[in-house]
Amino acid sequence: MSNVIQSRFWAGGSSDDASDSDSEEYESKGSGSSSEEEGAGAGGNRMFFLDSDTDSDEVRRVVRSAKDKRIEELKVVCDEMRNKMKINDWTSIQTVFDKLNRQLERTLKVTAKPTPPLAYIRVMVELEDFLEEMWGNKEAKKKMSPTNQRALNTMRQRLAKHVVYEKEMAAFRADPVSTDEEEEEEPESSSFDEDDDLEAIEEASRAPKKKDKILSMEPKDITHEMVAEKLSEILQSRGKRGTDRQEQVEMLTYLATVAKGPAQVVQVLSHLVSSLFDLNPSMASHMKVSQWKSCTSYMLQMLEILSDNPNIKLEEDAEQVPESAEEPEEGAEVKVWCSLVAFIERLDDELFKSLQVIDPHTHEYLERLKDEPFFLALAQRVSEYLTSKEDFKGLPRVALRLVEHYYYKVDSVYNAMRKLTLEQQQAAEEAAEEGGEEGGEEEEGAADTKPILKVPANFTMDEDAHNALQVLVASVFKHGDERAKARAMLCSIFHKCIHEDFYTARDWMLMSHLQDNVQLMDISTQILYNRTIAQMGLCAFRAGLIPEAHACVGELYSSGRVKELLAQGMTMSRYQEKTPEQEKLERRRQMPFHMHINLELLESVHLISAMLLEAPNLAANPLDAPRRTSSKPFISWLLNNYQSHTYLGPPENVKDHVVAATRALLTGDWRNSYKYICALPCWSLMPKQAEVLEMLKGKLQEEGLRTYLFAYASQYSSLSLDQLCTMFELNPQKVGSISSRMIINDEIHGAWDQPTSTIVMHNIEATKLQSAAVQFSDKVSMLLEMNERALRAIRTGNIHEADDDGGHAPRRRGGWDDHGRADRHRGNKARMGSGRGGGLPGVRGWGRGGYGGQRGSRFGEGGGYDRGFQAGFRQQPQQPPSQQSQQQQQPSMSSLGSLRGRQQPRRVPAV
């Protein structure tokens, strides 16, 4: 029962807002409350709850409006300020002063009046008077603590800057208002039932807002001072909590239509564009298309006014609200706050972000791309205006934005955009002739509508994209900073590559030394550098420069993160976890779809280049190919993945096609290799497709000939020139050139027989000494590898370290491998020793004493030949055969045992 009563008691206070619960007051009209308060213990409390619940119908609550509550809270802070003034605590006065101003902001939001309550004015006047009194009292200042004195100085400076309500304070000093008169001005709180209170609140929320006075006036009656005053009021409330940004945009849109004079129109339009940007404060989301078009339209209107009125100067450091509200004289110089360069950069960023978000396979993406000519026209107008004003600080920034819109466009795309611009201009002229005003008319509150833009009639695009780009790049090089110059150079190199000028692009890249400093640049510039390198590789491949193409594209594929490097997607790896913040930043860097470089085409170029370079090497050195290759990933895919498969199906992706072509090329079958290469689906995206495939056919014929000679030349006694020309469909001059080059480089052993047009092969068999030398070199290399592995195990503190493959070698009983058979097989009766610096038990070192007798290691401690072991393979005096056999059965490990607690390592097989 008590739980139910308590829940009803607490339910009475939960109906109102939690922030105003402390200021609610309750009145009880029942009698007998004094007797209940005198009761003590749980019984008394229970009786109190029972009686209050019983008389709940007769209890009426005083409903205080939000305005009364805020004013009451303000008065409480004012009283607190007076208490701190009485004790002369200036440190606390600073804190209460900040609290008082915050409370005033809350109160003004509720009262909807431009002037503060009289309680605030009264306490500010008292604070000023008290401050002046204390500042002039030198004796009292001497008695104050240093902290309090500093607080007094700080408070005096803050009050000097706090000049918001000087007029109201001066009026109060002239005619002070008593506290009683102030309370009479405040509305009295009324007593209602709870149901009446809810109905009153609902009616107040449904009531329409009070219309601004300036909106109800005729435009001809609005003066310059009224517009300036309203603009100042909007700017003061801008950025504060609770401000309706959409309402501010609508008001500024209306003020732009009633502003007096071109200077005031430009001033209102600049603040209107800035307010439209405030509607989308988040960097993660993009601005609405309608708002973007409105900003572009307003900026074009501003530039028209600025071109007609050269006396108006735009400055970023000018005051946003002019001190004098008087209309300037006609022709007088007027400074207006505005930053055209910042507006251009923000519009470009919003266009970029919208293209990132919109699905590229929809009609909406194409419609958004059609808005690019509007931005280009606006940026060109701004660039012309900055040039006329000789503003060389902002000019390269605008020029760089234009460069980044031109550099990736091929001639066909540039001509299509130029044609679209002409069509839009022609449509706007026809609409103007017909009397329609769709092209330039803007509705009130255009933030949510879609205004129809028109490209300015005086905007023209150069017929040649290269010339247009070079003019802009020259401007950046002349006036820009280091980052702008680097980006402009990369854009120029990219543009050269898509126009098939590889050698110029290569020279510019090497002369600029961008590859040396790119690691110190920002991430967006590094992405542009990676895109330029990829485009250089594609350009070199189209030109038939296979080594250069492989060098450029292989640099990107060596990391295994091509998508991230080109900002064309995100690779999810199970070995690398990214925080949500990192993923968000990476998504912001992604390039729009129409700027992508096709990754399938890039991968095809990389693998085909690697195949053409490494197929002859694979045929010449089938056993040692992985050590001599220059394309490590390609060889690993070929040797490890595909050769280990028992069954290989038909090729499906790019790797399968290239590996199938490589397997055919290794046998000299260039026709099947060419067939697999032509089956790749990415050739439709390659410019000059027929020429590129013809170039690849010639490259496959040449490399097929070299691969065939490497693989099968030793099987022939002679090779006919005519037969080689027929097999590879090459002319005799080409076959002779390739064969002669291989003979000169000692890649094949043969000679030309001119009368018969044949290559006579010289089959040279190795002598016994040469064969023994080859075997000896293999044994030494194996010994060196084992010594390095043993030294690594000793240095890491784990003698039983696993092999490089991850497994342990099998060990025989007692921890020793039985190598007696190998020793007896070789007739070796020497005692096996152990060394500290990498010497292993059971491994013979080649010492000065020759092959027989006692041997000492000549290897260095790190596995090299520079120093001998100080403790390895120690020579022991000659002993009888019985003792030697006994020592062979129980070998000593004193050296390694002393170093690692006498742990017995596993034995390595003897050489």
Side-chain angles (χ1 to χ4, degrees):
M1 181 64 183
S2 62
N3 294 335
V4 175
I5 294 172
Q6 291 180 13
S7 64
R8 290 180 182 177
F9 173 77
W10 294 115
S14 62
S15 61
D16 293 333
D17 191 76
S19 63
D20 299 333
S21 61
D22 296 338
S23 61
E24 296 176 353
E25 298 179 1
Y26 295 89
E27 293 183 357
S28 175
K29 293 190 176 182
S31 60
S33 60
S34 60
S35 61
E36 293 168 0
E37 291 175 359
E38 292 176 358
N45 293 334
R46 183 181 181 187
M47 185 60 67
F48 171 77
F49 288 128
L50 286 172
D51 291 344
S52 63
D53 185 61
T54 306
D55 299 336
S56 60
D57 296 336
E58 300 178 1
V59 174
R60 299 178 66 84
R61 188 174 55 160
V62 176
V63 179
R64 299 174 60 84
S65 63
K67 177 181 177 181
D68 297 341
K69 294 175 184 177
R70 296 301 185 192
I71 293 177
E72 188 66 28
E73 293 173 358
L74 183 66
K75 290 181 178 180
V76 172
V77 181
C78 292
D79 293 338
E80 186 180 357
M81 175 69 76
R82 294 187 180 94
N83 294 333
K84 300 301 180 183
M85 291 164 56
K86 289 179 182 179
I87 62 176
N88 197 20
D89 187 1
W90 289 100
T91 305
S92 301
I93 287 175
Q94 289 186 32
T95 305
V96 178
F97 180 73
D98 296 335
K99 182 179 178 182
L100 181 64
N101 289 326
R102 290 194 299 268
Q103 186 62 40
L104 177 64
E105 292 181 3
R106 301 192 194 103
T107 306
L108 291 178
K109 291 177 184 178
V110 177
T111 58
K113 292 182 180 180
T115 58
L118 291 176
Y120 178 81
I121 299 296
R122 180 187 298 276
V123 76
M124 290 301 297
V125 171
E126 294 176 0
L127 180 60
E128 276 194 358
D129 296 342
F130 181 67
L131 179 63
E132 293 300 328
E133 179 184 354
M134 292 302 302
W135 188 261
N137 192 351
K138 296 183 179 180
E139 295 181 0
K141 288 174 62 177
K142 291 180 180 180
K143 296 179 181 180
M144 296 169 60
S145 63
T147 305
N148 209 15
Q149 289 182 6
R150 287 193 297 269
L152 175 62
N153 297 335
T154 305
M155 195 65 209
R156 186 168 181 268
Q157 295 174 3
R158 294 183 62 180
L159 274 182
K161 297 178 181 178
H162 191 73
V163 291
V164 183
Y165 302 107
E166 279 189 344
K167 296 180 181 180
E168 290 80 357
M169 294 172 65
F172 182 84
R173 291 180 187 276
D175 185 17
V177 181
S178 63
T179 307
D180 298 335
E181 293 176 354
E182 181 182 346
E183 291 178 355
E184 289 177 0
E185 294 181 2
E186 301 297 334
E188 296 181 357
S189 58
S190 57
S191 177
F192 296 100
D193 291 336
E194 189 171 354
D195 297 336
D196 297 337
D197 180 26
L198 294 175
E199 292 177 1
I201 294 175
E202 292 177 0
E203 290 178 1
S205 62
R206 290 195 299 267
K209 294 182 179 179
K210 186 178 179 181
K211 195 173 183 180
D212 201 291
K213 180 181 178 181
I214 198 172
L215 296 176
S216 59
M217 297 177 62
E218 291 292 333
K220 60 182 180 180
D221 298 334
I222 299 175
T223 62
H224 185 279
E225 290 77 9
M226 297 175 65
V227 175
E229 183 180 355
K230 190 61 182 177
L231 180 61
S232 176
E233 180 184 340
I234 292 174
L235 294 180
Q236 286 180 3
S237 61
R238 181 181 171 189
K240 295 182 179 179
R241 292 185 59 184
T243 304
D244 191 350
R245 296 173 181 172
Q246 183 66 36
E247 184 178 352
Q248 284 189 340
V249 170
E250 294 175 359
M251 179 58 69
L252 288 171
T253 305
Y254 178 73
L255 290 179
T257 59
V258 299
K260 305 301 179 182
Q264 194 172 49
V265 173
V266 172
Q267 183 181 10
V268 175
L269 288 176
S270 64
H271 291 295
L272 177 55
V273 173
S274 183
S275 299
L276 284 171
F277 288 142
D278 289 344
L279 292 178
N280 180 46
S282 176
M283 294 299 294
S285 59
H286 65 91
M287 180 187 289
K288 293 181 180 179
V289 178
S290 59
Q291 297 171 4
W292 189 89
K293 290 184 177 180
S294 298
C295 290
T296 307
S297 177
Y298 295 144
M299 290 190 66
L300 288 173
Q301 185 179 350
M302 288 171 55
L303 291 170
E304 289 290 342
I305 298 173
L306 291 173
S307 61
D308 298 336
N309 300 273
N311 60 311
I312 303 176
K313 291 188 176 181
L314 303 181
E315 293 185 359
E316 298 182 11
D317 301 333
E319 296 182 358
Q320 296 189 8
V321 182
E323 297 179 357
S324 61
E326 299 178 358
E327 184 175 359
E329 298 179 359
E330 185 176 358
E333 181 178 337
V334 182
K335 294 183 179 180
V336 178
W337 174 87
C338 185
S339 179
L340 292 176
V341 179
F343 289 165
I344 285 291
E345 291 178 342
R346 179 67 185 272
L347 283 174
D348 189 20
D349 293 339
E350 295 297 336
L351 177 63
F352 188 85
K353 288 193 294 183
S354 64
L355 292 173
Q356 283 179 323
V357 175
I358 300 175
D359 187 2
H361 305 290
T362 59
H363 185 69
E364 182 184 1
Y365 192 86
L366 298 178
E367 291 296 326
R368 192 68 177 116
L369 280 177
K370 292 180 181 179
D371 296 334
E372 191 175 8
F374 300 120
F375 175 80
L376 296 178
L378 177 61
Q380 182 173 336
R381 292 292 302 275
V382 173
S383 178
E384 294 172 356
Y385 174 79
L386 295 176
T387 304
S388 63
K389 297 298 181 180
E390 296 183 355
D391 184 3
F392 299 122
K393 183 178 179 181
L395 180 62
R397 293 164 60 185
V398 179
L400 181 61
R401 293 285 176 164
L402 287 171
V403 168
E404 292 179 355
H405 278 269
Y406 285 139
Y407 79 96
Y408 62 89
K409 290 182 173 61
V410 295
D411 290 338
S412 59
V413 177
Y414 182 82
N415 294 332
M417 177 172 290
R418 186 169 177 271
K419 183 179 179 181
L420 174 64
T421 303
L422 295 176
E423 291 177 355
Q424 291 175 344
Q425 290 176 338
Q426 185 178 0
E429 292 176 0
E430 293 176 356
E433 292 176 358
E434 294 175 0
E437 298 180 355
E438 299 94 350
E441 185 176 327
E442 298 170 4
E443 301 178 359
E444 294 184 6
D448 290 332
T449 60
K450 291 186 177 181
I452 301 177
L453 290 175
K454 65 175 183 179
V455 180
N458 55 357
F459 170 65
T460 57
M461 295 180 65
D462 200 320
E463 295 182 359
D464 188 2
H466 180 72
N467 294 336
L469 188 68
Q470 290 304 313
V471 172
L472 296 170
V473 169
S475 177
V476 176
F477 286 161
K478 188 175 181 181
H479 305 291
D481 55 2
E482 294 301 323
R483 178 183 180 274
K485 292 178 182 178
R487 293 186 66 87
M489 176 58 74
L490 289 173
C491 292
S492 301
I493 296 172
F494 193 102
H495 194 73
K496 285 289 184 182
C497 291
I498 62 178
H499 286 82
E500 311 300 335
D501 193 356
F502 172 77
Y503 291 105
T504 304
R506 182 197 61 184
D507 295 342
W508 286 2
M509 177 66 75
L510 295 176
M511 287 188 298
S512 61
H513 297 282
L514 290 173
Q515 67 275 10
D516 300 331
N517 305 321
V518 69
Q519 298 295 335
L520 305 177
M521 300 179 184
D522 58 295
I523 297 180
S524 61
T525 307
Q526 293 181 15
I527 292 173
L528 179 58
Y529 173 81
N530 295 334
R531 287 168 50 81
T532 305
I533 290 296
Q535 200 60 247
M536 287 182 65
L538 294 176
C539 180
F541 185 81
R542 292 192 295 268
L545 305 173
I546 302 302
E548 288 81 356
H550 182 264
C552 293
V553 183
E555 185 177 353
L556 297 174
Y557 276 89
S558 60
S559 63
R561 298 183 297 111
V562 184
K563 288 184 177 180
E564 287 86 348
L565 294 178
L566 299 178
Q568 296 182 188
M570 299 172 59
T571 303
M572 305 304 295
S573 176
R574 59 180 178 178
Y575 302 108
Q576 182 180 7
E577 295 182 359
K578 298 179 181 178
T579 62
E581 189 66 25
Q582 290 176 341
E583 293 183 0
K584 188 183 299 182
L585 291 175
E586 195 165 348
R587 288 193 184 95
R588 291 181 191 172
R589 306 187 195 111
Q590 300 301 305
M591 304 299 296
F593 182 76
H594 69 283
M595 298 176 66
H596 281 193
I597 299 174
N598 189 268
L599 296 179
E600 187 176 355
L601 178 62
L602 198 65
E603 184 182 12
S604 301
V605 169
H606 168 59
L607 295 180
I608 292 173
S609 302
M611 176 192 69
L612 293 175
L613 292 175
E614 300 303 330
N617 189 24
L618 285 170
N621 307 284
L623 301 179
D624 200 26
R627 297 185 182 181
R628 301 184 182 180
T629 180
S630 60
S631 179
K632 195 171 183 179
F634 177 75
I635 295 301
S636 64
W637 295 331
L638 178 64
L639 297 180
N640 299 334
N641 297 335
Y642 289 89
Q643 288 186 352
S644 60
H645 295 169
T646 56
Y647 172 75
L648 293 176
E652 298 177 355
N653 51 24
V654 176
K655 294 179 184 178
D656 293 344
H657 280 83
V658 176
V659 169
T662 305
R663 294 169 65 89
L665 190 63
L666 287 175
T667 61
D669 189 1
W670 68 270
R671 293 182 179 85
N672 278 333
S673 179
Y674 180 68
K675 182 184 69 174
Y676 286 123
I677 295 298
C678 291
L680 289 172
C682 62
W683 296 120
S684 58
L685 304 174
M686 176 71 74
K688 302 179 180 179
Q689 175 185 355
E691 298 178 6
V692 172
L693 290 178
E694 188 65 26
M695 178 272 297
L696 281 179
K697 181 178 179 181
K699 293 291 182 180
L700 287 173
Q701 290 171 344
E702 295 176 10
E703 299 303 327
L705 173 60
R706 295 184 70 241
T707 305
Y708 185 81
L709 292 178
F710 274 128
Y712 303 113
S714 59
Q715 310 298 325
Y716 290 92
S717 59
S718 63
L719 287 169
S720 173
L721 179 62
D722 297 336
Q723 184 180 2
L724 292 176
C725 293
T726 304
M727 290 177 59
F728 296 97
E729 298 181 3
L730 293 172
N731 54 44
Q733 291 78 11
K734 194 67 175 178
V735 174
S737 174
I738 295 173
S739 304
S740 299
R741 190 182 306 114
M742 296 179 67
I743 293 173
I744 293 173
N745 295 333
D746 288 336
E747 295 175 342
I748 58 175
H749 301 286
W752 275 104
D753 187 10
Q754 295 293 339
T756 59
S757 297
T758 57
I759 304 175
V760 179
M761 306 305 300
H762 300 162
N763 295 327
I764 302 176
E765 297 182 358
T767 62
K768 292 184 179 181
L769 179 60
Q770 292 174 343
S771 301
V774 171
Q775 294 179 5
F776 177 71
S777 64
D778 293 339
K779 301 289 185 181
V780 170
S781 62
M782 184 183 304
L783 177 63
L784 179 61
E785 183 179 354
M786 288 187 295
N787 281 341
E788 290 177 350
R789 190 181 304 174
L791 180 61
R792 190 185 312 118
I794 294 174
R795 287 181 175 176
T796 55
N798 185 12
I799 298 182
H800 302 284
E801 187 182 12
D803 292 341
D804 293 341
D805 297 335
H808 289 276
R811 296 172 57 185
R812 294 184 181 272
R813 184 177 58 185
W816 296 96
D817 290 336
D818 187 8
H819 297 289
R821 291 177 298 171
D823 295 337
R824 289 191 299 269
H825 178 71
R826 293 176 176 84
N828 178 29
K829 301 300 182 181
R831 175 184 178 276
M832 291 183 289
S834 61
R836 181 175 57 183
L840 289 175
V843 180
R844 285 189 295 272
W846 299 90
R848 301 176 183 175
Y851 189 75
Q854 300 162 3
R855 303 167 179 87
S857 175
R858 302 292 297 171
F859 295 98
E861 296 182 3
Y865 290 88
D866 52 352
R867 293 197 304 270
F869 292 144
Q870 297 180 1
F873 297 112
R874 299 183 179 182
Q875 298 181 1
Q876 301 293 335
Q878 294 290 338
Q879 296 179 0
S882 59
Q883 294 183 8
Q884 290 183 4
S885 60
Q886 184 177 0
Q887 289 181 359
Q888 288 179 359
Q889 295 175 2
Q890 298 179 357
S892 173
M893 288 294 295
S894 58
S895 299
L896 287 176
S898 61
L899 289 177
R900 293 291 180 265
R902 298 189 178 276
Q903 298 179 0
Q904 294 181 354
R906 61 182 179 84
R907 296 287 300 277
V908 180
V911 179

